[in-house]
Amino acid sequence: MDFHQKRTLGRTGLRAGRLGISSSFGAPAAAYEEAFERGCNYFTWGTFIRGRSKPMADAVRNIVAQGKRDQLILSMLTYAHQSTLTTFFLERGLKTLKTDYTDVLLLGYFPKRPPQKVIDGALQLKERGLVRHLGITSHNRRLFVELAREDIFDVFHFRYSPAHPGAEVDIFPHLPEENRSGMVSFTATDWGNLLKKGKMPAGEKPLTAAECYGFVLANPGVDVCMMGAKNRQQMQENLALLDRGSLEEEEIERIRRIGRYVHG
């Protein structure tokens, strides 16, 4: 499997790099721009602006200024569970990033179906042209199967890792093959637990972040795997997966074994 090849993000038709990037880990703008040039064009940026999200904002503005906005897939995450606040934070965020629209408005985190008022407010933003596609993020895997029947959300963000592989049972087999939503996974490292020596079975080395991402991307049900990096070195270590490509079967089995142990 060639991880350099972009993949169509479900019914959005957008061509996304296999590794997506979250703004919440604090890598410098130069690291995000390097990843973008390497094909990692799916950026998730929180509309509730915090210090750690500023470097990605700088990177997005630079990408836009270079005339490459059409190559970027911007997914703006809102935690505001009210349509009025969602609109406020989105409009402020777009102004900050110096762009007229977001490719995905990501509603998060919802353990159950969002209130209809929130959905209606998001659809109004879509009608205004501020939003191209609607997405939702949740830890409740069964919610995605329910929402898929409604045909409202174009992108799903869901938890999937070697320690929490439940999407293989609860999500992937139950989604339609045609006109399906784009599938984006998060927490591939189980919030870093899979990288810690003290969490490993006896005699096992901790997994690397790239190994966790490789495990996730080996599943054909995943379009994009979100990654995080605190600095440029971590970003480059993650990007090395693009050159390496698919993991071997025995590596996948080892990762599963460690994941079961960490989960247990």
Side-chain angles (χ1 to χ4, degrees):
M1 186 181 297
D2 184 358
F3 292 148
H4 287 289
Q5 295 293 322
K6 288 184 169 64
R7 181 159 165 168
T8 301
L9 187 62
R11 66 187 186 206
T12 70
L14 299 169
R15 295 290 290 173
R18 303 305 306 283
L19 288 175
I21 315 175
S22 169
S23 66
S24 59
F25 292 85
Y32 294 116
E33 293 179 61
E34 179 181 356
F36 175 78
E37 293 300 328
R38 294 283 304 277
C40 300
N41 64 335
Y42 189 90
F43 283 22
T44 296
W45 188 77
T47 58
F48 186 76
I49 303 169
R50 298 179 299 173
R52 286 188 298 179
S53 69
K54 184 180 182 299
M56 180 177 278
D58 293 336
V60 170
R61 284 193 294 266
N62 292 338
I63 291 168
V64 171
Q66 293 167 16
K68 298 179 179 179
R69 174 65 183 90
D70 62 331
Q71 300 175 34
L72 176 68
I73 302 175
L74 178 61
S75 175
M76 294 180 68
L77 172 64
T78 174
Y79 296 103
H81 287 195
Q82 298 177 22
S83 59
T84 302
L85 287 177
T86 295
T87 299
F88 171 77
F89 286 124
L90 175 67
E91 290 178 337
R92 188 181 70 169
L94 292 174
K95 184 177 180 180
T96 297
L97 299 179
K98 299 187 183 303
T99 183
D100 297 328
Y101 68 94
T102 183
D103 297 282
V104 180
L105 175 62
L106 188 60
L107 305 182
Y109 281 83
F110 283 89
K112 58 183 180 180
R113 187 185 188 277
Q116 190 60 45
K117 287 185 177 180
V118 173
I119 293 176
D120 290 342
L123 290 172
Q124 288 173 10
L125 293 171
K126 192 174 180 180
E127 290 175 1
R128 290 174 56 192
L130 301 180
V131 172
R132 298 285 175 85
H133 306 281
L134 297 186
I136 187 169
T137 178
S138 177
H139 290 278
N140 180 6
R141 295 189 295 264
R142 292 179 176 85
L143 175 64
F144 299 107
V145 179
E146 173 190 334
L147 293 177
R149 301 189 189 105
E150 295 195 53
D151 209 29
I152 296 173
F153 292 97
D154 306 303
V155 179
F156 290 155
H157 276 230
F158 58 95
R159 180 174 65 172
Y160 180 51
S161 75
H164 291 91
E168 297 171 0
V169 174
D170 295 332
I171 301 179
F172 302 140
H174 307 289
L175 297 182
E177 293 185 8
E178 296 183 1
N179 196 41
R180 69 166 176 80
S181 301
M183 302 297 288
V184 180
S185 74
F186 61 87
T187 65
T189 68
D190 189 35
W191 292 282
N193 288 322
L194 293 165
L195 315 182
K196 296 176 181 177
K197 184 177 180 179
K199 298 282 188 179
M200 294 297 104
E204 286 282 8
K205 294 181 180 179
L207 299 177
T208 66
E211 285 177 318
C212 295
Y213 303 144
F215 169 86
V216 169
L217 291 177
N219 192 302
V222 177
D223 296 320
V224 176
C225 174
M226 297 303 299
M227 67 169 172
K230 295 180 180 179
N231 51 53
R232 196 164 188 175
Q233 179 180 343
Q234 285 188 1
M235 186 71 80
Q236 291 173 341
E237 290 172 354
N238 294 342
L239 294 175
L241 176 67
L242 301 177
D243 296 324
R244 181 203 160 139
S246 300
L247 303 180
E248 299 293 335
E249 192 61 40
E250 55 269 24
E251 294 176 290
I252 295 289
E253 190 51 46
R254 171 180 173 261
I255 292 170
R256 284 193 182 277
R257 184 171 65 250
I258 291 174
R260 287 193 295 268
Y261 182 87
V262 171
H263 179 71

